[in-house]
Amino acid sequence: MPRDPRQGLPAVWDGYARRTLRMPGYGGAAVFMRSQVIPARESRGNGTALAFDVGLLSPDRITHYLSRAAGPGFVERLSQFLFRAASDFHPEKSLPTFIDEAMGLTISAMSSTDVRVAIEVTMIEDLRAQVLDPDSIDFETSRTVLVIAAHDLRRLGRNGDDDAPRQDLGS
Amino acid sequence: MTYLFNTLPFPDGSRMTNIWKASWVDDPKDANLVIGHLIRLPDGQHADVEADFLTSHLPLQAGGIAGVFIDDNPWLFVLQIVPADASAFLAGDDDPLWPARDALDRALSFNPGAEMTVELRWSRHGLIEAYEDAGVAAQRVRDWPVAALLGGLLAECCYLPLSAIVDGYRTGCAFSGIDHACELDVFNDVFARWQARLIPQPSEPVTTAGEEQEIKGSPSPEADLLEDAERAGRPSCPMCGAKESRRIALGRWGPRTPPDWHCSFCGHIWDDPNTTGERPRWLEGATEVHALAELIALTGAQTQQELCEFLESATELDDDLWLDLDAAEPNITLILGIRNEGVGLTFPFSLSDLYATITGLEKDLDAAVTDESADGEEDDSTTDDRTGDFPGAAVALTDVSVQAAQVMAASAHHGQVDKAGLPYIEHPARVIGHLVEPTREETVVAWLHDVVEDTAIRLADVQTAFGPQVADAVDAITHRAGEPSGDYYARVKANPIALTVKVADLADNTDPRRLEILAPNLRARLEAKYAIARRELGLAGSRG
């Protein structure tokens, strides 16, 4: 019988397990984020860092951007952004665009109704290129999905991002 | 009971929340095959979003239904039609349904937590047999495409008999005897009427084509459930007629008598006048029922210990309200949100303040009980005719009171929209924006100026929560049914707070940016109405 390779490992292993954030929308679009940890030896002296694989899905394509290192306070900031996108009357007016330059990710609320919010997610295709080409997807989703994603996101980075400085979007 | 509900192994208490049909066009002569999959979604996923998401990745999907099990886990049942010729080309004759299964596998890979639990297959002949079992002659549907046969079985899930659906197929109208906005497609016609909650439940007669027909069906687990509910004395929902009500202790705003009733089917909440439940003790007689007391009421906690336990495991309260907690000792921030209403409010407290307030409310209660027993009948003069037994002591409003008024207004107007289709709660928010350096009383009254007139909130609730000054102003600004406008505006003018808020109310109602998005005839009617109002209030020529 094959042995579970994780059996017997200390509980701290759970901190390094990859977790997935899934934010589906109407029309078959979705954004996925899968967390992973970049070991200290790979992070140019910045210690262990949190990184994400980011997937953009629509019915006619799926694109993955792998191992994008997250900027300071990424999980906290994005979680707050999603929560406010779900709870603000008109997030397209009240909510500044979420930007994480280190990851090359921006998310903005484009329009909203009392039950839905349309968001646009943009990834920079190649962060080292001289001319930065954006790859974006926009879709409508429900406010409920955004709240759930905000909560899931906190779980996603709980073990890897606690030391990052907290940034508040303000009220 | 309907064919699909009988065939699918739904646990007792499952309910349907969504139904749809794709616009398939297929040839009746083709030997198309049908496959259906029941999918259990992970806890917390949004059934309607997931249904739309999943089916967008299924090119062969023909329709389906979605809902929740009694444990609130969502489910989907998705039907796919497999063209026999394409299937044979792709997979040979060994597994003609392979294209549908493969498409579903691929779609489910984007939702790893979803689990396919049941697979059902039909041939065209099998679908026609389902109609025959329901008393429909086979020759009436023999020429129907497979997609239409499926559409009929889906529409039957809305509790309209298959015979009535077949009757309306040729004309494209399922309710020819009823004045309605016809979808010109019998299946979509049924779906639209079901979504508008205008189709009676199985226990009631169904009216269609001008005739009354009783729905007939064999006893089923769901029918047993309804009978059990009746036996338990549960009332029917006054909104949709379903008997799937349950008591809730998580009340809304104010000193209503919990537990209320909550319809599991349509979400409507109502008071049962025959119910005499016990209320949280600290709310009885409290003269400062503000946001904190509301949060205590929402938790349903009866003791401080229960409240502490709740706060330590703050969680979602029900489908519409959630309470979140950000506990960073010694301070605590409670976040009350109303789902789909775009409202999220934060209440920062220290734990010591929290307990002190609760203790204070309990002392108030004890004092009130003591005074009442000592003074007997001497307090009649303080009792307001309109507010019954509620105390009339002055309340000093705080910033928390303003937040509390916002929560009360948001929960009371939950689900309401204005004439432009926007959430109604935006109106009082804009009215506050029209106030110039408002006092707390004016802000509170602005939030609440429509709640007594347009919602289930009673004036007594307002008085208990915010005191007589606010209640008087809200009362003055509340238009009674059939009241002459002259009397109404005279009452408004007599109350300075009501007058200030009414002027701001008119300023918002006559805002050209708001009026221009209304239909021309409605806009003209409202402009005339508001011109009269401004004249009655002595505001002609000025803007609030």
Side-chain angles (χ1 to χ4, degrees), chain B residues 451-473:
Chain B
V451 297
V452 175
E453 189 172 318
D454 297 332
T455 77
I457 296 286
R458 300 167 300 181
L459 198 59
D461 301 337
V462 176
Q463 168 138 340
T464 304
F466 301 101
Q469 189 181 19
V470 168
D472 286 346

Side-chain angles (χ1 to χ4, degrees), chain B residues 501-522:
Chain B
V501 174
K502 188 65 189 177
V503 170
D505 184 31
L506 285 172
D508 182 61
N509 288 334
T510 54
D511 187 335
R513 291 168 299 181
R514 303 244 319 118
L515 290 173
E516 69 184 7
I517 61 178
L518 301 178
N521 56 345
L522 177 60

Side-chain angles (χ1 to χ4, degrees), chain B residues 330-349:
Chain B
N331 294 316
I332 191 167
T333 300
L334 295 166
I335 305 165
L336 176 67
I338 300 173
R339 200 188 304 287
N340 297 338
E341 202 59 50
V343 176
L345 300 174
T346 58
F347 300 90
F349 297 108

Side-chain angles (χ1 to χ4, degrees), chain B residues 163-175:
Chain B
S163 56
I165 297 165
V166 174
D167 288 345
Y169 180 70
R170 295 291 173 201
T171 61
C173 178
F175 309 98

Side-chain angles (χ1 to χ4, degrees), chain A residues 54 100 142 161 170:
Chain A
V54 181
D100 191 284
S142 89
D161 203 35

